[in-house]
Every structure is written in structure tokens, then in C-alpha cells.
Amino acid sequence: MKHNNLLITAAATAALAMMSAGALAQETITFGASAPKTGPLAGGSSVTHWPAIALWVNDVNARGGIDVGGTRMMVEVIEYDDATSNENAIRNIQRLATVDEVDFLIAPYGTGINLATAPIIAQYGYPHLAVTAVTDGVDTFAERWPNSFWTLGTSAETASSAADVLADLRDRGEIGNRVALVNVADAFGIELANAGKPALEAAGFEIVYEASYPPTTQDFAPIISAAAAVDPDAFVAFSYPGDTFGLTGQATIADLDVGAFYTGVATAFPGYLGANGAAAQGVLGIGGVNLNDPGMVDYIAHHEEVTGATPDYWANPVVYSTLQVMEQAITRVGSLDRAAVIEEIRDGTFDTVMGEWTFDGNIIRDYYTVGQWQDGKRLNWL
């Protein structure tokens, strides 16, 4: 009898342990994140992507987690490095969905990687809030993958805004009509160049130099030298972080004499000012935030306090905003039902550090496209 009682007690203890483990599991929401920690885009994701995620997790857990049907659930993130590879990103997301069985996914980093992974994210039924993707296909993609949401704009609008700013400078007599146009040869740069060239020509500019270069390019002296040889009035680069720094540094060394200098991703990074000093003054670049908004000023200060780094003045707060959207949608649904969360994101209105967001056909259509360094601050233009 004593032996049997011990068996019953052990069985009961095991059952209680299993119940406790189940209860503990339900008190945590797991998010999966795959993005570059190595490779050509690692520099950009280390400023824009990973710190915004870390800040959001800190903020959510500091206030006791996400309210899910009246239960506070803490957040944890399983992270993988895709090494700036579409193939790795696809494998990582498949692992997160099938092996780690995460509750939700955080969108990858970069236009090409978001497009490459969109089908598999849709296949597994996760909300896909694509932040760092600028593409003209957003309406088509939102229809093809109704779980996907797009927040950073289109290539055509981004390129036409750059052309508008240059046209304004020309009309004020600050630059002439001759433009050198270069781009990184991936989805992001190619789309922007394909949209930018006709936008510039429609605005009355003459393209006097064109070049496309691989994402792995490190020596930009030949490009800057060839551009300088045709005496342009403006230099436009639809570039990724490494080339943004490389092109700007080489232009400074070569003393490229242009009235307007525009570069792509990373122009909005605080490190851009640190690397280029006075040479950054007046430089135009993709994206921006409203530094006159007290909420944005508070966000930047909070980011610095928690992460020890200043966020970029473009996409970092957008990454944070998409996570706020996810959090608010989960709370409103009151469960981890991904289909219901997708529906709430599609139809709801959300309070974010970028302001009030409502998706129009799964797309945020209001955003800044051009910024400029003025007096040591990155200010939005359009």
C-alpha cells in the first residue's frame, strides 16, 4: 500500500509539474527574428533593426508584458543571423515556424530579403509587417499576401520626391540640370534607379553619368572619379549603408564639386554625421522623421538611455512602431490567434511613435521621403 501511494503521489506530482510547465509556457509570447548580424547589411540592421526590437522587448516586459485576454504575458525573442542571404532567411523562418514554433515573427531586414521571405511567412500564416522594404509592388504584394503590411513607401514615390527636391533647388538657382545617378545592384537600388531616372528626366534634368555596382563593392574611387569627369551639378546614389559611407567618403577625398549630394540608406544614421563631420552638412538622403514632434524627441532620448545608442532618423522608429502595432492588435484580439491578429492589423487604428497609423489596403501611405543634415541634425524635408 505504501508503495502504491508513492506511485500515485509521484504521478500526481508529475501531472502538477506538467500543468505548471504549461501555465508557464502560456505566460510567455515568443517572437522569431531573422535578420543580418553579418554580411553586407549587418551594419544597417545593427542600427535600425536589432536595437528597436531590443528596446520594444525591454519596454513591454518592464510594464509586465502584453495583456492577452486579461493575462500579462512576457515577451521573448529567438534571434537568427541570415548573414544577408535570402536563402538563409528562408531557412531561418522555416525553422522559427516549425522547430521553434514561435507565436509571431518580426519582419526581416532589407527589401530583397522581405520579398524573398514573404511567401513562406504567408504559408505559415504569420502577420508580416515589412518595415525595411521600399518597393513599387506593395499593392500587388498586399493583395497576393493578405498577411503582409508595408510601411516604408514605394520606389516611385521615394524617387520622385528626390527629383522634386532637386528641382526645387534648381528653380532657386542653387544647382544646374546635370545629374550623376548610381545605384546598388539589388532589388532596392535597381527599383529606385528605374523609377528615379524617368522622374529626374521628367523634371527636366539631364543624366550625364550612370553606374550600377554590386552590393559587395568596397572601392568607390572609380565611380566618383568617373562622375566627376562629366562635371555634374548633382550626385544621386540609391545606396545601401556600406556604399552610402563609401561613396560619401570618396567624394570628400576627391572633392567632388556638386551643388546637391544625395545618398540612400544610412544617410539618416547618426554615424553618418560622426564619420563625415562638416562634410555631412547639407547632404540629402532617403527618409526622415519629424524632429519637431515631442514624441519623437522622447523616443530618441529613451532609445539612447536603454540601448546606449542613438537610433537612425528614419526606419528605426518605424520598426518600433510595427511592434507597437503587433502588441496592440494582440491585446485587442485577446489571444494569440494569428489570423485574428492579421485582421485587426488590417482594420484597426494604432498609436505609435510615428503617430496614428491606419493601414490603407495593408499599406501605410503617409511617410517622409527626403531628409537633410542641417546644423548637426537630420531634418525631414518631405
Side-chain angles (χ1 to χ4, degrees), residues 155-167 199 262 367-370 381-382:
S155 301
E157 290 167 336
T158 300
S160 64
S161 291
D164 288 345
V165 169
L166 293 181
Y262 173 103
Y367 45 84
Y368 293 113
T369 53
V370 183
W381 192 306
L382 292 175

Side-chain angles (χ1 to χ4, degrees), residues 224 245-257 261 272 275-280 283:
I224 295 297
F245 279 86
L247 288 163
T248 305
Q250 189 57 45
T252 302
I253 292 170
D255 196 21
L256 180 66
D257 185 17
F261 190 85
Y272 186 88
N276 297 291
V283 170

Side-chain angles (χ1 to χ4, degrees), residues 148-276:
S148 69
F149 301 87
W150 307 83
T151 64
L152 216 58
T154 68
S155 301
E157 290 167 336
T158 300
S160 64
S161 291
D164 288 345
V165 169
L166 293 181
D168 181 58
L169 292 173
R170 180 198 57 205
D171 295 344
R172 284 156 39 188
E174 297 183 25
I175 64 172
N177 277 325
R178 298 167 59 82
V179 176
L181 178 65
V182 306
N183 69 277
V184 60
D186 80 337
F188 169 83
I190 292 169
E191 269 203 28
L192 278 166
N194 287 342
K197 183 177 179 180
L200 288 164
E201 290 175 336
F205 289 100
E206 178 188 3
I207 310 298
V208 294
Y209 174 74
E210 290 182 73
S212 183
Y213 55 85
T216 53
T217 301
Q218 296 188 20
D219 181 9
F220 295 95
I223 291 175
I224 295 297
S225 177
V230 297
D231 192 27
D233 299 301
F235 180 89
V236 174
F238 295 120
S239 51
Y240 262 152
D243 20 316
T244 294
F245 279 86
L247 288 163
T248 305
Q250 189 57 45
T252 302
I253 292 170
D255 196 21
L256 180 66
D257 185 17
V258 290
F261 190 85
Y262 173 103
T263 44
V265 183
T267 315
F269 288 6
Y272 186 88
L273 178 65
N276 297 291

Side-chain angles (χ1 to χ4, degrees), residues 86 110-119 128 133-135 137 141 145 150 187 191:
N86 291 349
T111 299
I113 295 178
N114 269 283
L115 296 180
T117 57
H128 179 189
V134 177
T135 172
F141 299 148
W145 305 304
W150 307 83
E191 269 203 28

Side-chain angles (χ1 to χ4, degrees), residues 6-382:
L6 285 172
L7 285 175
I8 292 169
T9 303
T13 302
L16 286 170
M18 290 175 67
M19 290 172 63
S20 297
L24 285 174
Q26 289 304 306
E27 291 175 0
T28 301
I29 305 177
T30 56
F31 285 76
S34 172
K37 295 189 175 186
T38 58
L41 294 185
S45 66
S46 70
V47 175
T48 294
H49 190 79
W50 294 115
I53 295 170
L55 180 63
W56 176 74
V57 172
N58 170 84
D59 292 348
V60 169
N61 289 341
R63 58 179 177 263
I66 297 178
D67 180 358
V68 184
T71 299
R72 306 298 300 191
M73 300 180 71
M74 303 294 276
V75 168
E76 66 176 17
V77 179
I78 299 173
E79 300 179 357
Y80 289 122
D81 175 17
D82 65 27
T84 317
S85 160
N86 291 349
E87 293 76 14
N88 287 345
I90 292 168
R91 283 194 292 268
N92 288 349
I93 286 169
Q94 187 168 29
R95 178 180 176 84
L96 287 164
T98 62
V99 178
D100 300 312
E101 296 183 334
V102 298
D103 297 304
F104 295 97
L105 290 171
I106 297 170
Y109 178 84
T111 299
I113 295 178
N114 269 283
L115 296 180
T117 57
I120 195 167
I121 295 174
Q123 175 186 332
Y124 288 116
Y126 287 98
H128 179 189
L129 286 107
V131 185
T132 52
V134 177
T135 172
D136 282 336
V138 289
D139 287 288
T140 299
F141 299 148
E143 184 176 349
R144 182 182 304 166
W145 305 304
N147 65 305
S148 69
F149 301 87
W150 307 83
T151 64
L152 216 58
T154 68
S155 301
E157 290 167 336
T158 300
S160 64
S161 291
D164 288 345
V165 169
L166 293 181
D168 181 58
L169 292 173
R170 180 198 57 205
D171 295 344
R172 284 156 39 188
E174 297 183 25
I175 64 172
N177 277 325
R178 298 167 59 82
V179 176
L181 178 65
V182 306
N183 69 277
V184 60
D186 80 337
F188 169 83
I190 292 169
E191 269 203 28
L192 278 166
N194 287 342
K197 183 177 179 180
L200 288 164
E201 290 175 336
F205 289 100
E206 178 188 3
I207 310 298
V208 294
Y209 174 74
E210 290 182 73
S212 183
Y213 55 85
T216 53
T217 301
Q218 296 188 20
D219 181 9
F220 295 95
I223 291 175
I224 295 297
S225 177
V230 297
D231 192 27
D233 299 301
F235 180 89
V236 174
F238 295 120
S239 51
Y240 262 152
D243 20 316
T244 294
F245 279 86
L247 288 163
T248 305
Q250 189 57 45
T252 302
I253 292 170
D255 196 21
L256 180 66
D257 185 17
V258 290
F261 190 85
Y262 173 103
T263 44
V265 183
T267 315
F269 288 6
Y272 186 88
L273 178 65
N276 297 291
Q281 176 68 15
V283 170
L284 299 162
I286 192 170
V289 295
N290 184 3
L291 291 180
N292 294 318
D293 177 4
M296 183 55 61
V297 174
D298 290 345
Y299 172 78
I300 292 169
H302 179 55
H303 191 287
E304 291 172 343
E305 179 184 3
V306 173
T307 71
T310 302
D312 70 78
Y313 300 120
W314 181 32
N316 173 295
V318 185
V319 174
Y320 189 92
S321 293
T322 60
L323 296 171
Q324 289 181 300
V325 167
M326 191 93 74
E327 176 186 356
Q328 291 168 38
I330 292 168
T331 295
R332 292 174 193 172
V333 168
S335 76
L336 305 185
D337 182 337
R338 292 193 283 268
V341 169
I342 290 169
E343 185 176 351
E344 177 58 32
I345 294 171
R346 186 190 66 222
D347 298 334
T349 296
F350 304 91
D351 294 323
T352 79
V353 297
M354 293 297 293
E356 186 176 270
W357 269 9
T358 302
F359 287 89
D360 174 6
N362 288 27
I363 299 162
I364 295 297
R365 306 205 184 253
D366 226 4
Y367 45 84
Y368 293 113
T369 53
V370 183
Q372 183 181 48
W373 283 102
Q374 298 176 5
D375 301 322
K377 293 183 179 180
R378 171 76 180 175
L379 300 177
N380 58 281
W381 192 306
L382 292 175

